[in-house]
Amino acid sequence: MNNNLSARQKKILEYIETFIAQNGYPPTIREIGKHVGIASTSVVNYNLNKLVERGYIERQPEVSRGLRLVSQTSEEMPVQYADLASLVPVPMVGKIAASAPVPLPGEDFGYYYDADDVIEVPQSLIGAFQGQDLFALRVTGDSMIDAMVAEGDIIVLNRQNTAKNGDMVAVWLSERGETTLKKYFLEGRQVRLQPANPMMDPIYVSADQVNIQGRVLAVLRTLH
Amino acid sequence: MNNNLSARQKKILEYIETFIAQNGYPPTIREIGKHVGIASTSVVNYNLNKLVERGYIERQPEVSRGLRLVSQTSEEMPVQYADLASLVPVPMVGKIAASAPVPLPGEDFGYYYDADDVIEVPQSLIGAFQGQDLFALRVTGDSMIDAMVAEGDIIVLNRQNTAKNGDMVAVWLSERGETTLKKYFLEGRQVRLQPANPMMDPIYVSADQVNIQGRVLAVLRTLH
DNA sequence: TTATAGGCCGAACTATTGTTCGATGTCAAG
DNA sequence: CTTGACATCGAACAATAGTTCGGCCTATAA
């Protein structure tokens, strides 16, 4: 079977590509025909099906503009791709202080934050974590000093409400009405919360008093 | 004018986003309506026009699926954005401890570092600084605790031997045989070195005892 | 109270768009 | 020469999808 594309099919493919890039949605059969010089919609249809057979595009029957480009893996993008992937956008959802619960990205927030409220973090700083559950907070006040976190620091968290021993977590202590950053150790029925600063003593809290808000993945401090 | 989105409009926006991600082409008015719980196409149309007014999407009249999402970020700062989002390679030239002078990238080093010894830092974290004079150090030991810097942290510096008041600098105190990170204030003939931790007291050193090794631009801490 | 605007519904209308099918021309194999 | 696969055309058809309009409801301003 011939797996090469005819000149016409290449033209179609290119047109689809530029059209999508330009408009954000795919072209119709007629639009393709007009720009590629094909008079009949059925011919375009015919060639589109060829492109499907050969794996260049996918189509959705009876759906207007129902086509999509299939990413051609073997291109020369691997370098670029790695670069783009290594910078992860993380929404800044608010501030964190000892006196208040952690603001979490709620359902009501949805995906929409101001551009100002997104920071770009190198993937290498946050390990394998990624996606919807990442968020960032700016630290206000000096109350996190025992966590070695200063005012103005940005902490990057993964939203989760469980933790493994040794994880650095943001917790809300319902009894004290207080948020803190500590290393988490479950010890029997109580939890040991160990400050990052080795000179500070841990506190012990009953497990049901501890609301884990998220795991701290990174702390960023800029000084310029 | 109210620029906020109603819950319904947020839902629509989210649906468009996931739909495009999933299918490669935008949804129709009826598809949106069905999934967002709107009975009438006219209402969807109405809300889509609201989204256009507020700059979230663009529409093409009389075109099926003629929607596109407007990228929120590229709106105002197209140039800046690319810059801010870019990663700057910074060589890791060694470790820093209180007990030893700061290793500096010497001429003899040249441009040659292992790939392992280079970290990628977002430009946004280090402000306008860039180029040859950037370097990074890993902190060993707990001796920098009064600078709110923990063991394992990475500090990014700009090599320079002068500083402005208020700059956070790495200095070698020849008299004490000690390296520290402090805020720098020149006061007459002596220098006040102020710990980042506001609970700690400053130290005062004669100006000629202070060897500035570099200005601290950022501190990075990873916890995974 | 009466307006008025915003949000919504339902239904009809029209334009767009994918699908189908018979017919034609070309070319290489039998 | 005949056959059959391949590519094309044109036209009609039917499903999809955007637009419009009258009416309803609620909250707020006059």
PDB file of all heavy atoms in Angstrom, chain A residues 91 105 110-111 113 130-135 157-159, chain B residues 17:
ATOM      1  N   PRO A  91      -0.888  28.489  39.373  1.00  0.00           N
ATOM      2  CA  PRO A  91      -1.695  29.646  39.769  1.00  0.00           C
ATOM      3  C   PRO A  91      -1.390  30.081  41.193  1.00  0.00           C
ATOM      4  O   PRO A  91      -1.280  29.261  42.100  1.00  0.00           O
ATOM      5  CB  PRO A  91      -3.130  29.124  39.658  1.00  0.00           C
ATOM      6  CG  PRO A  91      -3.010  27.650  39.824  1.00  0.00           C
ATOM      7  CD  PRO A  91      -1.675  27.266  39.250  1.00  0.00           C
ATOM      8  N   PRO A 105      -7.523  26.448  45.791  1.00  0.00           N
ATOM      9  CA  PRO A 105      -8.199  26.648  44.513  1.00  0.00           C
ATOM     10  C   PRO A 105      -9.481  25.828  44.497  1.00  0.00           C
ATOM     11  O   PRO A 105      -9.450  24.611  44.442  1.00  0.00           O
ATOM     12  CB  PRO A 105      -7.195  26.124  43.492  1.00  0.00           C
ATOM     13  CG  PRO A 105      -6.301  25.204  44.250  1.00  0.00           C
ATOM     14  CD  PRO A 105      -6.300  25.678  45.664  1.00  0.00           C
ATOM     15  N   GLY A 110     -12.539  27.633  39.235  1.00  0.00           N
ATOM     16  CA  GLY A 110     -12.365  27.130  37.888  1.00  0.00           C
ATOM     17  C   GLY A 110     -10.931  27.332  37.445  1.00  0.00           C
ATOM     18  O   GLY A 110     -10.017  27.299  38.253  1.00  0.00           O
ATOM     19  N   TYR A 111     -10.777  27.564  36.175  1.00  0.00           N
ATOM     20  CA  TYR A 111      -9.440  27.644  35.627  1.00  0.00           C
ATOM     21  C   TYR A 111      -8.952  29.070  35.544  1.00  0.00           C
ATOM     22  O   TYR A 111      -7.884  29.338  35.063  1.00  0.00           O
ATOM     23  CB  TYR A 111      -9.425  27.067  34.225  1.00  0.00           C
ATOM     24  CG  TYR A 111      -9.828  25.618  34.174  1.00  0.00           C
ATOM     25  CD1 TYR A 111     -11.115  25.211  34.429  1.00  0.00           C
ATOM     26  CD2 TYR A 111      -8.869  24.658  33.873  1.00  0.00           C
ATOM     27  CE1 TYR A 111     -11.461  23.881  34.371  1.00  0.00           C
ATOM     28  CE2 TYR A 111      -9.209  23.326  33.808  1.00  0.00           C
ATOM     29  CZ  TYR A 111     -10.520  22.946  34.059  1.00  0.00           C
ATOM     30  OH  TYR A 111     -10.852  21.632  33.995  1.00  0.00           O
ATOM     31  N   TYR A 113      -7.612  32.564  36.416  1.00  0.00           N
ATOM     32  CA  TYR A 113      -6.909  33.489  37.278  1.00  0.00           C
ATOM     33  C   TYR A 113      -6.329  34.572  36.404  1.00  0.00           C
ATOM     34  O   TYR A 113      -6.175  34.419  35.204  1.00  0.00           O
ATOM     35  CB  TYR A 113      -5.770  32.770  38.001  1.00  0.00           C
ATOM     36  CG  TYR A 113      -6.208  31.523  38.683  1.00  0.00           C
ATOM     37  CD1 TYR A 113      -6.101  30.296  38.053  1.00  0.00           C
ATOM     38  CD2 TYR A 113      -6.745  31.579  39.956  1.00  0.00           C
ATOM     39  CE1 TYR A 113      -6.511  29.142  38.677  1.00  0.00           C
ATOM     40  CE2 TYR A 113      -7.162  30.438  40.592  1.00  0.00           C
ATOM     41  CZ  TYR A 113      -7.047  29.225  39.952  1.00  0.00           C
ATOM     42  OH  TYR A 113      -7.454  28.094  40.579  1.00  0.00           O
ATOM     43  N   GLN A 130       2.486  17.656  38.883  1.00  0.00           N
ATOM     44  CA  GLN A 130       2.024  18.568  37.850  1.00  0.00           C
ATOM     45  C   GLN A 130       0.513  18.567  37.794  1.00  0.00           C
ATOM     46  O   GLN A 130      -0.136  17.727  38.391  1.00  0.00           O
ATOM     47  CB  GLN A 130       2.598  18.176  36.497  1.00  0.00           C
ATOM     48  CG  GLN A 130       2.291  16.760  36.099  1.00  0.00           C
ATOM     49  CD  GLN A 130       2.836  16.450  34.699  1.00  0.00           C
ATOM     50  OE1 GLN A 130       2.097  16.284  33.758  1.00  0.00           O
ATOM     51  NE2 GLN A 130       4.156  16.411  34.603  1.00  0.00           N
ATOM     52  N   GLY A 131      -0.002  19.498  37.097  1.00  0.00           N
ATOM     53  CA  GLY A 131      -1.428  19.483  36.789  1.00  0.00           C
ATOM     54  C   GLY A 131      -2.284  20.348  37.677  1.00  0.00           C
ATOM     55  O   GLY A 131      -1.815  21.311  38.291  1.00  0.00           O
ATOM     56  N   GLN A 132      -3.526  19.977  37.720  1.00  0.00           N
ATOM     57  CA  GLN A 132      -4.565  20.793  38.341  1.00  0.00           C
ATOM     58  C   GLN A 132      -4.325  21.064  39.817  1.00  0.00           C
ATOM     59  O   GLN A 132      -4.793  22.051  40.344  1.00  0.00           O
ATOM     60  CB  GLN A 132      -5.922  20.082  38.201  1.00  0.00           C
ATOM     61  CG  GLN A 132      -6.384  19.958  36.775  1.00  0.00           C
ATOM     62  CD  GLN A 132      -6.623  21.312  36.167  1.00  0.00           C
ATOM     63  OE1 GLN A 132      -7.160  22.191  36.820  1.00  0.00           O
ATOM     64  NE2 GLN A 132      -6.188  21.514  34.933  1.00  0.00           N
ATOM     65  N   ASP A 133      -3.649  20.152  40.478  1.00  0.00           N
ATOM     66  CA  ASP A 133      -3.583  20.264  41.926  1.00  0.00           C
ATOM     67  C   ASP A 133      -2.459  21.165  42.418  1.00  0.00           C
ATOM     68  O   ASP A 133      -2.309  21.374  43.608  1.00  0.00           O
ATOM     69  CB  ASP A 133      -3.446  18.865  42.539  1.00  0.00           C
ATOM     70  CG  ASP A 133      -4.717  18.048  42.327  1.00  0.00           C
ATOM     71  OD1 ASP A 133      -5.787  18.666  42.216  1.00  0.00           O
ATOM     72  OD2 ASP A 133      -4.621  16.820  42.262  1.00  0.00           O
ATOM     73  N   LEU A 134      -1.684  21.661  41.505  1.00  0.00           N
ATOM     74  CA  LEU A 134      -0.614  22.555  41.915  1.00  0.00           C
ATOM     75  C   LEU A 134      -1.170  23.951  42.178  1.00  0.00           C
ATOM     76  O   LEU A 134      -2.015  24.438  41.440  1.00  0.00           O
ATOM     77  CB  LEU A 134       0.449  22.644  40.817  1.00  0.00           C
ATOM     78  CG  LEU A 134       1.285  21.397  40.564  1.00  0.00           C
ATOM     79  CD1 LEU A 134       2.201  21.613  39.382  1.00  0.00           C
ATOM     80  CD2 LEU A 134       2.085  21.058  41.806  1.00  0.00           C
ATOM     81  N   PHE A 135      -0.684  24.565  43.218  1.00  0.00           N
ATOM     82  CA  PHE A 135      -1.003  25.973  43.419  1.00  0.00           C
ATOM     83  C   PHE A 135       0.088  26.621  44.249  1.00  0.00           C
ATOM     84  O   PHE A 135       0.948  25.930  44.803  1.00  0.00           O
ATOM     85  CB  PHE A 135      -2.381  26.159  44.073  1.00  0.00           C
ATOM     86  CG  PHE A 135      -2.493  25.587  45.468  1.00  0.00           C
ATOM     87  CD1 PHE A 135      -2.497  26.443  46.562  1.00  0.00           C
ATOM     88  CD2 PHE A 135      -2.614  24.229  45.674  1.00  0.00           C
ATOM     89  CE1 PHE A 135      -2.613  25.934  47.859  1.00  0.00           C
ATOM     90  CE2 PHE A 135      -2.729  23.710  46.971  1.00  0.00           C
ATOM     91  CZ  PHE A 135      -2.731  24.560  48.061  1.00  0.00           C
ATOM     92  N   LEU A 157       2.622  24.343  46.276  1.00  0.00           N
ATOM     93  CA  LEU A 157       2.032  23.187  46.944  1.00  0.00           C
ATOM     94  C   LEU A 157       1.295  22.302  45.966  1.00  0.00           C
ATOM     95  O   LEU A 157       0.885  22.739  44.890  1.00  0.00           O
ATOM     96  CB  LEU A 157       1.025  23.646  48.008  1.00  0.00           C
ATOM     97  CG  LEU A 157       1.554  24.536  49.117  1.00  0.00           C
ATOM     98  CD1 LEU A 157       0.777  25.836  49.133  1.00  0.00           C
ATOM     99  CD2 LEU A 157       1.460  23.852  50.456  1.00  0.00           C
ATOM    100  N   ASN A 158       1.144  21.074  46.376  1.00  0.00           N
ATOM    101  CA  ASN A 158       0.253  20.155  45.692  1.00  0.00           C
ATOM    102  C   ASN A 158      -0.942  19.929  46.613  1.00  0.00           C
ATOM    103  O   ASN A 158      -0.779  19.502  47.756  1.00  0.00           O
ATOM    104  CB  ASN A 158       0.953  18.828  45.415  1.00  0.00           C
ATOM    105  CG  ASN A 158       0.127  17.941  44.511  1.00  0.00           C
ATOM    106  OD1 ASN A 158      -0.142  18.291  43.367  1.00  0.00           O
ATOM    107  ND2 ASN A 158      -0.281  16.787  45.025  1.00  0.00           N
ATOM    108  N   ARG A 159      -2.117  20.214  46.088  1.00  0.00           N
ATOM    109  CA  ARG A 159      -3.303  20.057  46.925  1.00  0.00           C
ATOM    110  C   ARG A 159      -3.546  18.582  47.227  1.00  0.00           C
ATOM    111  O   ARG A 159      -3.709  17.771  46.318  1.00  0.00           O
ATOM    112  CB  ARG A 159      -4.519  20.640  46.230  1.00  0.00           C
ATOM    113  CG  ARG A 159      -5.802  20.329  46.986  1.00  0.00           C
ATOM    114  CD  ARG A 159      -6.913  21.212  46.540  1.00  0.00           C
ATOM    115  NE  ARG A 159      -7.053  21.217  45.087  1.00  0.00           N
ATOM    116  CZ  ARG A 159      -8.163  21.635  44.466  1.00  0.00           C
ATOM    117  NH1 ARG A 159      -9.178  22.058  45.165  1.00  0.00           N
ATOM    118  NH2 ARG A 159      -8.223  21.634  43.165  1.00  0.00           N
TER     119      ARG A 159
ATOM    120  N   GLU B  17     -13.098  24.746  26.967  1.00  0.00           N
ATOM    121  CA  GLU B  17     -11.686  24.401  27.094  1.00  0.00           C
ATOM    122  C   GLU B  17     -11.469  22.885  27.040  1.00  0.00           C
ATOM    123  O   GLU B  17     -10.660  22.388  26.265  1.00  0.00           O
ATOM    124  CB  GLU B  17     -11.164  24.956  28.414  1.00  0.00           C
ATOM    125  CG  GLU B  17      -9.740  25.379  28.390  1.00  0.00           C
ATOM    126  CD  GLU B  17      -9.397  26.147  29.654  1.00  0.00           C
ATOM    127  OE1 GLU B  17      -9.742  27.343  29.743  1.00  0.00           O
ATOM    128  OE2 GLU B  17      -8.819  25.535  30.549  1.00  0.00           O
TER     129      GLU B  17
END
